Amino acid sequence: MNRRVFFSVCGNACIAASLASHAVAAPPVSGFPEKPIKLIVPTNPGGSIDTIARILSVELANQFKQAVIVENRTGASGMIAAGAVAQSTPDGYTLLITHTGVLQADLLHKNSSYRLSELAPVAEIANTPVVFGVGMQVPVTDLPSFVALARQQPDQLSYGSYGKGTSAHIWAEQFSQRAGIKLIHVPYGGEIPALQDMLAGRITSAWGAVGTYKQYADAHKIRILAVANPVRSKVLPDIPTFIEAGYPEMNASGWCGVFAPAGTPKAVIAKLSQALLKIVHRDDIAQRILVTGQEPTGADEEAFGQRVARDRQTWAKAISDLHITLD
């Protein structure tokens, strides 16, 4: 059976079983942590996930009385960072804080440097709605007027995503298919380059994080038309969801979460999870996370693992339905 097809159909039970198994022996939890912890981030410094990682690193260090080092390993749609953690010793000293892209990369890349089964969920940190925005030069005020303009100008309007096969690419293709419009896809290596080209008028529209786009919308440099989330964003309560605008299939939001290598002792994962939830559930920390545009949640390893499995099935279906392939 084709590997991609197998992963797409195996479902929650297969993923849960895979996450629980790992061949490498690991030391017991007694005394953990006894040395510095490394928290690997797949994005550049300054982004929302990097900001959250640095907040968590300080607070974890205070709890554990051990240094927590943030390390940015960018590139390959997050696969470099995920691969580094998946291949590390499963002892709880190397962690990954990442976004939903870890699912799409696993689904789309046959030769990925990791497989999702090699990562164990530790804690969900935040929900991460993504927004669709246009440059101020585009003569539209809302999503219906954008659709009308795109229908009048097929294959002339463009959208920027943060890479082929990313959630932004998948959402855009779902939207275009449902709306009956044809847009030019311009993939970038990240969120910021796409935003910069939209600001400069080189592309019509783009997708990005709530926190990043809000500051430019507040400065009247871009216009946000809709948010891809089951409910309106807490940060942008006046912006309608795609569901409200008539696109019910656009109901999958992203998340920010922490993973460890599969095979990490359950007691270590539980200790890390409890420490992270203690931080995220503090009102002052929750407010700092909210400023980044992400919505603090704080779910333990079991609940986060269930969401990862559900979301993987959702993205697998979307990728299959839209016939998106990379390699």
Side-chain angles (χ1 to χ4, degrees):
M1 180 182 288
N2 178 278
R3 189 176 193 180
R4 184 183 301 165
V5 173
F6 171 76
F7 275 120
S8 297
V9 302
C10 72
N12 294 6
C14 175
I15 293 172
S18 297
L19 291 174
S21 65
H22 199 281
V24 181
V29 68
S30 179
F32 178 87
E34 298 176 319
K35 62 181 181 179
I37 294 171
K38 186 183 294 182
L39 185 58
I40 296 181
V41 183
T43 59
N44 290 316
S48 59
I49 289 183
D50 176 75
T51 299
I52 291 172
R54 294 179 191 279
I55 292 170
L56 297 178
S57 69
V58 172
E59 299 300 328
L60 281 175
N62 289 338
Q63 279 195 53
F64 289 149
K65 308 305 178 186
Q66 290 286 350
V68 179
I69 302 162
V70 174
E71 182 177 315
N72 300 84
R73 293 200 189 183
T74 61
S77 299
M79 290 189 291
I80 292 175
V85 174
Q87 295 160 21
S88 65
T89 303
D91 55 9
Y93 289 99
T94 304
L95 305 174
L96 173 71
I97 180 168
T98 191
H99 46 65
T100 321
V102 74
L103 304 181
Q104 289 108 1
D106 175 57
L107 287 162
L108 286 163
H109 292 271
K110 292 182 291 185
N111 299 315
S112 173
S113 59
Y114 73 97
R115 296 265 67 101
L116 187 61
S117 59
E118 297 173 313
L119 296 171
V122 175
E124 179 185 305
I125 304 302
N127 196 55
T128 60
V130 172
V131 297
F132 176 60
V134 297
M136 295 303 289
Q137 78 281 3
V138 184
V140 300
T141 56
D142 53 22
L143 202 61
S145 59
F146 178 86
V147 171
L149 180 64
R151 287 174 178 169
Q152 294 168 10
Q153 303 178 24
D155 291 317
Q156 293 186 47
L157 305 185
S158 56
Y159 76 88
S161 76
Y162 29 90
K164 291 182 178 180
T166 61
S167 54
H169 179 200
I170 297 168
W171 273 313
E173 293 303 312
Q174 282 185 322
F175 168 51
S176 298
Q177 184 183 77
R178 177 69 172 78
I181 59 178
K182 294 182 179 181
L183 306 175
I184 300 170
H185 179 207
V186 185
Y188 292 83
E191 172 192 39
I192 299 303
L195 173 61
Q196 290 171 337
D197 270 8
M198 181 171 66
L199 289 168
R202 287 186 283 270
I203 58 174
T204 308
S205 61
W207 299 72
V210 167
T212 305
Y213 276 48
K214 182 180 185 300
Q215 58 184 308
Y216 289 95
D218 289 345
H220 304 289
K221 294 182 177 180
I222 64 171
R223 184 177 290 113
I224 299 174
L225 302 184
V227 58
N229 201 47
V231 297
R232 292 195 179 195
S233 166
K234 296 177 183 178
V235 180
L236 296 169
D238 296 330
I239 304 298
T241 66
F242 276 94
I243 299 171
E244 291 176 89
Y247 302 91
E249 63 281 355
M250 309 237 344
N251 58 7
S253 61
W255 39 254
C256 168
V258 175
F259 292 82
T264 301
K266 291 182 178 180
V268 170
I269 288 178
K271 187 169 186 177
L272 287 165
S273 182
Q274 291 165 13
L276 288 164
L277 298 192
K278 182 178 179 181
I279 296 166
V280 175
H281 290 159
R282 278 173 41 190
D283 290 342
D284 60 325
I285 299 297
Q287 285 302 314
R288 291 173 66 188
I289 292 174
L290 198 59
V291 168
T292 71
Q294 304 205 37
E295 301 171 354
T297 51
D300 66 16
E301 66 272 30
E302 182 177 353
F304 182 39
Q306 291 171 353
R307 181 174 184 181
V308 168
R310 289 194 308 269
D311 285 359
R312 192 178 188 284
Q313 289 188 325
T314 298
W315 290 114
K317 183 178 186 305
I319 289 168
S320 175
D321 290 347
L322 294 165
H323 306 291
I324 295 174
T325 59
L326 294 183
D327 58 27

